[in-house]
Structure formats: C-alpha cells, structure tokens
Amino acid sequence: MHSHHIADHTADIRLDVRADSLLELFTGAIQGLAEILKPGFCRADTAVTKRQQLKVTSLDVTTLLIDVLSEVLTRSYLDRTVFCGTSWTRLTETQAELTILGAPTDGFQRDVKAVTYHEADVREIAPGQWQTTIVFDI
Amino acid sequence: MLTKQQLKKISDWLWEAPTTLRAGMRVPARVYATSAMLDEVLRDRSVEQILNVATLPGIVAAALVMPDVHEGYGFPIGGVAAFDREPGIISPGGIGYDINCGVRLLRSELLEADLTDRAQSLAQALFRNVPSGVGRSGHLRLTDRELDAVLRKGVAWMLAQGHGQPEDANYIESSGRLPQADPTAVSATAKRRGRDQLGTMGAGNHFVEVDVVDEIFHAPAATAFGLRPGQLVVLIHCGSRGLGHQVATDYIRTMLKVAPQYGIKLLDRELACAPFASLEGQQYFGAMAAAANFAWANRQLITDETRRAWQAVFGPSANLSIVYDVAHNIAKLETYDVDGQLRELLVHRKGATRAFPAGHPEVPAVYRPIGQPVLIPGSMGTASYVLVGTSQAMTESFGSSCHGAGRRMSRSQAKREVQPNKLLATLKIQGITVAAGSKAGLAEEAPQAYKDVHDVVEVVQRAGLAHKVARLRPVVVVKG
C-alpha cells in the first residue's frame, strides 16, 4: 500500500509519499512522478506497451530513491513514455533492479528538469510506515 | 530558523551573516535586500542555504545572495560564490539544473505604433516558428558529429550554418562559446536528450516576448545599447534544455560519490562538489561549458526563428539586432582583485547575472566605454529591465547582479488563485497579446506569482551593483 500527495513549493513541486514498505515507497514515488508529468494518465485504462529495465546502485537508501526516479525521468523523456507501473527484481538500501512499465504519450504537461535530493529523507518512522518528501525542479 | 537580529545591517540594502553564525563557515554571507525584503527572504531557507555555501572549501571573500533570491537546492537561487582554483571546488548545484539558462535582448528599428493590428499575427508567427512545450522537438536533426561540434563551438556553429548574422557573436557573453567545453565529458544520455531540442523554448518560465522601451533612465548607456523610447524589442529566455538538465543530474550523482574521497563534508546533498583541479571537477567543468555552448546555440537558433517570424509580419527588410545575451546559471573563470592581489577565481552564478563595468576586456568593444548590458526579465504583465554593470560590482559581488523577479507563490497556489481566462482578459486590457501552449501553465506564470521586479532592481541600483538603463513593457508574450 502506498499513497502520494503533490504539495506546494514556492518554485517547484514537492511530492510526499507514504507506504507500508520500502518497495511500496519506491513504487509510489514512481507513480507520483508519472502523475506530475501527465496528470490522470495512469488512472486511465492504458495498456502497457513499453518496458524498460533499470539497475541502479547508490550510496544509501535516500540517494537510491532519487537516482531511480532520475533514471525514470530520463527514460520518460527519451521514450516519450509515462511509466505507471513497476515489476521488481531486487531492492536493497543501496541497489535497485526493476522493470518500469508504461505507455507512450504525445506530450507531457510539466517540464520536470530534475529530481533533486533536496528535502529527500527516506525513513521508516514506525514499523511498516515509510515516508519521504521529494522536490522536483520545474 | 534564522532571524533578522542574527544578521548585521551593513546598509539599508545589505546584511551580513558573520562566520560565527554556523560552524564551518569560512567566509561571511551577505544578503542584498531591503529590511522588508529580508523579512520575506527569511521565510524560506535561502539564507540557511547560503550559510551552507559559505562552508565550502576554497570560497573567497563572501557568499552572496541577490535581492531576487529564493530557496533552491543546495545553493539558493540568486546566489553567487567564488572559489580559488586550488583548493576551491566546483559544484553543479551552484550552477543549477538548467545550465546557462539566460536572456537575450534583440532590438528592432520599429516603434510601438508599427505593431498596431499586427500583435496577434506576430504572436501567432512567433508561436509557430519557435517550438515550445515540454519535450518538444525542434526543426534541426543533428548527427553525433554535428552535436559535438555544437557543444564545442556554440554560437559559432550556428553562424557557420547560416543561422544568424556574422556580427551576432560580438554581442553575446563570452561570444557564445566557452573554450573549456569538452563534448567527451557529456554523457550519451545527455546528448540523446538534447539532440532534437535546439531552437526550442521549453515550458515553465521560459518565453519569447516583444516589449516596448517604456522609460530611459540612463541616456548615454541607452544610446550605446541602441535603445530609444517607444522602440520594439524582443526578449528570449531559455537554457540548455534536456541536455543541460541531464549533465547536472549526471554530475551531482558523481560528485556525491567522490566528495568524501576528497575530505569534503557536505551539509546538503545538493551541495555535492569536487575540487576544481580534480579529475571529476575538470570533467564537470568541461561538460558544463559544453552545455553552456549548447544553450547559446539554442538561443541563437531561436533568434533566427524569431527573425523569420518578424520578417513574415513586418516585411523582409525588418531586422532584429542582438543588444546582448547573458547567462544566469553558470560557473566561469574570472580575475578579481582580492586583498590587493589579482586572482583567477571560479565564480558560480545560480540565478545571478554577470554585470561587468566600463573598460572590462570581456565587454564588447562597442559597449566598453559604458559597461556590459545586464538583462533582468520580469514576469509577463509587469516589466523587464536593462541595466549596465558597474565597477562596484567588481569589488563587492564578483561582477554580479540579480537575474529576475523571483517567485513568491507556488505553482499550485497560482493555479488556484488565477483563472487563465481572466488573466488573459486582464493582460489584453493592459495591451498584452499572449500565445501560449497551455492555459494552466499560463496561470502558473501570472504576474502575482512573482516578486515585484521594480523592488529587486531598485536594490541592485542602490547597492551600486548595476545602474538602471531602461524599463521594458511587454506587448506580446509567447510561452510553451
């Protein structure tokens, strides 16, 4: 289970994500990014026609999340695809291996320049309660 | 949370945070703002961020923020910091994700009266000719070899392909080319993202805008810049598009990994950096310079597209000449007098504009007796300014000035509070014609979402960092 909320930020966009596991937190963040790029796209009944494999290694779990999202953002622009789903092979605090699933789009609503490390802090605040904030440079 | 009482008032427009305010500060931090502006600045973490910048190795004299400052990532937007070549650092976060985001001003020989009945057709022609919107492709398709040539040569490559007039490069900061560019330091992914984006504006706060010279404040400088009351001019605001965003993302990630190896303790991940002299520092500098050249080439191609639109509306003899082109997200090697010694420093400007004075060898020869034009775009519906650099900026702010109005309202808040149709109607009453790809995007960029550009420019003028030359009033706004 996961949820995300797109919040106000003076110059940019802040995404708050909560989940009951680390894997769900990553999945929720990827879906949040899709919602920012193209609101409503993933809620429509769109068939998955694009798949991309990602393998990312980072210093710690917060850096890993941002690095995974940066990869998803890059692939979104290069393939003109909104990635709504994930299929996980492996997730540790420093490594992620997954397939991202999506569908092509004729355009994005937002020009997300980058996923930043600003304010990001992946934490398990209580057993089964994971959360973080992510700020996107617009 | 910092308070105003913790800062020392130097003057009515300058405040200083002493090195005692935060452990590890190597130099003080200075904030250019009025008392009222400072109250607003202290509501976000801009000043906290500049205190962090003041802890970075090799920083010289002071870490600075301009009056249009707002919270960024690592460095605040509106920040200026200069570092010694050794043992100083280079930080992608001190430049920003949109490398060489900047502004170009073109002047015409036409007056506002010439626009009558043609504003709508001009807006549509510009909207058609300059591709805009998220991820939108341009008209050029480059081979790998051609893209590398753009990254190495910048504006010169565009001119060689016939996209401009031979004299254009004379009126661009660094002539539109940083010689340190190293295309091999730019990732294949970054190149793929940029390959089809030359000549495109993008979205967000980027624009092509037609303005009228509304008021002249400094007649000799205005004359030197070829500006006169009532004249139609064009402002272009954009940067290095996906290529620059990817270069920044790639190297922040690299520097996060290597910073500890160089003994650099980061107070914020977005301050990721490496010694300028290190392998990673030099690679990023080469990649950043290449992205900067790409941005100048991009504004050059947009200039070409704008000229074609202009001639389609006003006739084949109607010309647009470049007044100047400034970068406001960049790091450059520049020489300053520090404690009586000339030192070459790496000046990071993130949301700050170079403002060199009369006599400086990097100011175009034709402007050298008067100083460098400094271009400050406001929001649509308010005004933009042309300033001129001063010698005081060389001694106080590493030859730097502000870069714009600065946001004061979130995009969501702007969308909640601004109805696009009402905004369009209000702008129409003000005599402003708009062509935009997205009404929602237009609401996000409404004038009320920004700080008052007049206040920002007034502080810069009073602080002596630049002098007002002319105010520009928008009449046609084209956005993605």
Side-chain angles (χ1 to χ4, degrees):
Chain A
M1 283 284 289
H2 61 255
S3 65
H4 65 254
H5 171 65
I6 298 169
D8 278 5
H9 185 279
T10 308
D12 303 295
I13 287 185
R14 175 186 280 133
L15 179 72
D16 295 319
V17 191
R18 289 170 182 267
D20 57 13
S21 70
L22 184 61
L23 191 143
E24 284 293 321
L25 190 82
F26 274 60
T27 302
I30 290 169
Q31 291 184 1
L33 172 59
E35 180 65 15
I36 290 168
L37 286 170
K38 184 101 176 178
F41 187 87
C42 295
R43 291 195 296 271
D45 192 17
T46 311
V48 171
T49 56
K50 295 267 192 173
R51 287 175 171 78
Q52 291 257 357
Q53 290 189 323
L54 303 184
K55 192 171 178 181
V56 180
T57 302
S58 301
L59 297 170
D60 55 54
V61 70
T62 297
T63 311
L64 182 66
L65 174 64
I66 302 307
D67 292 345
V68 166
L69 289 172
S70 291
E71 279 294 321
V72 175
L73 179 66
T74 297
R75 307 288 179 105
S76 301
Y77 284 139
L78 287 175
D79 280 7
R80 295 180 190 274
T81 296
V82 181
F83 291 102
C84 305
T86 52
S87 171
W88 290 89
T89 305
R90 173 182 164 87
L91 178 64
T92 69
E93 295 222 334
T94 56
Q95 284 191 316
E97 273 185 68
L98 67 154
T99 302
I100 47 175
L101 314 167
T105 177
D106 54 358
F108 300 98
Q109 187 163 319
R110 288 211 177 271
D111 197 359
V112 176
K113 289 176 187 159
V115 188
T116 78
Y117 299 97
H118 187 59
E119 294 187 15
D121 186 14
V122 173
R123 276 173 192 263
E124 188 176 23
I125 53 169
Q129 289 183 46
W130 290 81
Q131 69 174 43
T132 190
T133 294
I134 303 146
V135 176
F136 297 90
D137 187 14
I138 302 295
Chain B
M1 197 66 161
L2 283 169
T3 64
K4 194 191 275 182
Q5 288 67 37
Q6 291 174 281
L7 305 183
K8 181 181 165 193
K9 184 176 178 180
I10 307 286
S11 70
D12 285 345
W13 40 83
L14 183 60
W15 308 74
E16 183 173 282
T19 53
T20 51
L21 207 49
R22 171 156 305 169
M25 281 176 71
R26 297 165 194 259
V27 294
R30 296 198 183 118
V31 182
Y32 287 93
T34 61
S35 180
M37 279 173 153
L38 185 61
D39 289 334
E40 194 167 348
V41 167
L42 287 169
R43 283 189 200 132
D44 70 20
R45 282 178 287 184
S46 314
V47 180
E48 297 272 0
Q49 290 183 327
I50 204 68
L51 299 190
N52 291 342
V53 172
T55 69
L56 292 173
I59 190 166
V60 174
L64 307 166
V65 291
M66 295 294 142
D68 51 335
V69 69
H70 62 78
E71 184 178 330
Y73 324 105
F75 282 62
I77 297 172
V80 178
F83 298 86
D84 269 319
R85 288 181 72 124
E86 286 190 71
I89 55 90
I90 184 167
S91 173
I95 290 140
Y97 286 98
D98 195 2
I99 295 165
N100 190 5
C101 185
V103 188
R104 179 175 290 200
L105 177 64
L106 314 175
R107 65 169 182 265
S108 77
E109 299 306 318
L110 303 177
L111 295 171
E112 186 175 15
D114 297 309
L115 189 64
T116 313
D117 300 333
R118 296 184 186 178
Q120 192 63 45
S121 54
L122 181 59
Q124 292 307 321
L126 288 169
F127 189 75
R128 271 195 311 275
N129 276 26
V130 185
S132 60
V134 188
R136 178 88 186 274
S137 299
H139 307 300
L140 272 189
R141 295 289 181 274
L142 301 182
T143 63
D144 290 350
R145 205 172 171 154
E146 287 169 330
L147 181 58
D148 281 358
V150 170
L151 297 177
R152 268 196 314 274
K153 297 177 181 173
V155 164
W157 188 89
M158 284 292 168
L159 295 179
Q161 305 303 310
H163 299 297
Q165 298 164 0
E167 67 277 16
D168 284 350
N170 300 337
Y171 301 96
I172 299 172
E173 183 176 325
S174 299
S175 303
R177 174 181 178 262
L178 292 183
Q180 300 92 347
D182 178 4
T184 67
V186 177
S187 70
T189 305
K191 289 177 183 176
R192 275 182 70 199
R193 287 187 65 180
R195 187 180 305 282
D196 64 350
Q197 290 191 326
L198 280 169
T200 66
M201 188 197 312
N205 63 354
H206 294 166
F207 60 77
V208 173
E209 182 179 286
V210 181
D211 290 75
V212 174
V213 178
D214 212 26
E215 187 171 358
I216 299 286
F217 304 99
H218 188 318
T223 302
F225 300 162
L227 301 176
R228 60 198 165 109
Q231 181 183 20
L232 292 178
V233 296
V234 178
L235 275 172
I236 297 167
H237 178 213
C238 64
S240 48
R241 311 287 287 111
L243 183 139
H245 308 166
Q246 191 66 42
V247 166
T249 296
D250 291 343
Y251 279 94
I252 289 174
R253 198 170 164 188
T254 298
M255 290 192 179
L256 259 180
K257 286 179 181 157
V258 302
Q261 294 165 21
Y262 292 109
I264 299 170
K265 187 167 180 265
L266 299 172
L267 295 178
D268 182 328
R269 287 187 181 91
E270 291 280 334
L271 289 178
C273 58
F276 180 63
S278 69
L279 174 67
E280 296 83 2
Q282 287 298 297
Q283 283 176 334
Y284 172 64
F285 191 50
M288 183 222 66
N293 291 349
F294 183 89
W296 273 312
N298 188 34
R299 291 199 286 278
Q300 182 63 31
L301 190 52
I302 291 176
T303 298
D304 196 36
E305 293 161 349
T306 299
R307 282 172 169 153
R308 290 172 201 275
W310 196 262
Q311 288 174 348
V313 173
F314 294 112
S317 63
N319 190 31
L320 290 168
S321 307
I322 300 178
V323 176
Y324 205 57
D325 178 310
V326 290
H328 53 224
N329 283 1
I330 204 161
K332 296 176 88 175
L333 285 167
E334 295 168 358
T335 302
Y336 291 90
D337 184 333
V338 182
D339 300 329
Q341 282 192 324
L342 286 181
R343 280 154 68 176
E344 191 175 40
L345 306 176
L346 185 68
V347 180
H348 290 59
R349 296 190 181 94
K350 182 181 185 179
T353 311
R354 200 184 75 174
F356 280 176
H360 195 289
E362 286 198 37
V363 176
V366 67
Y367 300 148
R368 207 164 292 154
I370 206 91
Q372 179 214 303
V374 178
L375 312 175
I376 310 298
S379 64
M380 63 177 164
T382 54
S384 296
Y385 280 87
V386 180
L387 314 179
V388 63
T390 65
S391 53
Q392 197 170 332
M394 298 303 283
T395 56
E396 274 197 28
S397 64
F398 300 106
S400 306
S401 170
C402 63
H403 87 305
R407 283 195 82 90
R408 54 174 283 273
M409 193 185 282
S410 73
R411 288 178 160 82
S412 307
Q413 188 184 353
K415 274 205 292 195
R416 281 195 303 273
E417 294 186 11
V418 178
Q419 292 180 19
N421 289 336
K422 274 192 179 172
L423 173 63
L424 282 169
T426 305
L427 292 172
K428 192 174 178 185
I429 291 166
Q430 288 177 249
I432 301 167
T433 303
V434 179
S438 156
K439 279 191 176 180
L442 195 68
E444 292 179 4
E445 295 299 313
Q448 51 269 52
Y450 284 85
K451 293 179 188 176
D452 188 331
V453 70
H454 308 294
D455 290 348
V456 168
V457 166
E458 206 56 39
V459 170
V460 165
Q461 159 111 355
R462 288 186 183 190
L465 304 183
H467 291 146
K468 287 196 286 187
V469 174
R471 188 179 62 236
L472 312 178
R473 169 170 51 85
V475 286
V476 172
V477 176
V478 178
K479 296 182 78 72

